[in-house]
Amino acid sequence: MVVPGGSERVLAFVALCCRAAVPRPLIAGTLWPDASEYCAYANLRSALARLHREGRRALEIGPAEVRLARGVTVDLHRARRVAHRILDPAGTDGIAEPVLDAVEDLSADLLPGWYDDWALMAAEEWLQLRLHALETLAGRLVAARRYAEAVAAAQAAVHAEPLRESGQACLVRAHLAEGNPSEALRAFTRYARRLEGELGLEPTERLRRLVAGLARSRRGDGRPGP
């Protein structure tokens, strides 16, 4: 389904609000912040009018508010529920089933290529939620000795935010727990080089300690590793 640009933004904004009824002034003011109130309202009316049949069926459009139609599902809402189940301390074991489906849900970026302030804020909130969920999932999978799935979850976290040390630490721990010290050291080395190249920083002592013995063994001179 091809949706005109303005109409697409309305659909996305309303979808981000879950099932809540979104007042028209909020939609107009958020999507067209630089326009006058009159022009913003006119843009919203035009965007709603240009919705094709499928798009109009996805929304309940009232005189004062707009909301998602009943029966409409949003991938983001399902993925958020997965993340919250993983992070819920009251959960049974915090491991989603099936794990690889959960990892796939948590690997998707939100509105890539969108640069509106509201879209960037929502994307950052989703990024932080899914990173914490992926790292938590990886740690629990290591504890459960489900190493292949732990590596997959940690790699998804690293791919989403390569310079985030907590995700890199999850990946190193998963490789070590699986009995693959060479892969753990390679992951650490890639991260250290990228961190130095992009930010001029070094890994923290906490991460360096995870691979210190491996690096000393590789160097063979008894000195601390990289």
Side-chain angles (χ1 to χ4, degrees), residues 58-221:
L59 298 176
E60 292 180 4
I61 303 172
E65 58 191 27
V66 181
R67 69 192 309 158
L68 283 179
R70 293 180 181 181
V72 174
T73 59
V74 180
D75 291 346
L76 175 65
H77 300 175
R78 183 190 68 248
R80 280 175 175 164
R81 290 193 294 269
V82 170
H84 289 144
R85 282 199 300 270
I86 293 170
L87 293 171
D88 184 2
T92 53
D93 60 2
I95 298 178
E97 296 288 352
V99 167
L100 294 183
D101 286 348
V103 171
E104 183 176 0
D105 286 338
L106 297 171
S107 297
D109 293 331
L110 176 62
L111 299 177
W114 290 44
Y115 300 105
D116 303 82
D117 288 344
W118 60 270
L120 292 173
M121 184 178 299
E124 178 61 24
E125 290 175 354
W126 168 236
L127 174 64
Q128 291 301 316
L129 176 62
R130 65 191 180 101
L131 285 173
H132 282 97
L134 285 166
E135 292 167 7
T136 298
L137 181 60
R140 289 176 176 163
L141 288 166
V142 166
R145 299 185 179 183
R146 296 166 63 173
Y147 301 125
E149 294 164 310
V151 169
Q155 285 177 330
V158 167
H159 178 75
E161 188 54 85
L163 297 177
R164 181 180 168 99
E165 184 163 306
S166 53
Q168 298 285 348
C170 285
L171 182 57
V172 168
R173 290 192 187 100
H175 284 315
L176 290 174
E178 194 176 20
N180 290 314
S182 63
E183 292 185 14
L185 188 57
R186 278 201 299 271
F188 171 83
T189 302
R190 284 195 302 268
Y191 171 63
R193 288 173 178 167
R194 184 165 188 170
L195 191 64
E196 167 67 25
E198 295 190 24
L199 298 179
L201 299 175
E202 293 183 354
T204 65
E205 182 63 25
R206 186 170 163 184
L207 181 58
R208 290 157 68 90
R209 280 199 299 268
L210 287 178
V211 297
L214 305 177
R216 281 196 297 270
S217 173
R218 184 177 181 185
R219 291 171 67 138
D221 56 7

Side-chain angles (χ1 to χ4, degrees), residues 16 18 35 41 47 57 104 143 146:
L16 288 175
C18 297
Y41 272 94
R57 283 205 298 259
E104 183 176 0
R146 296 166 63 173

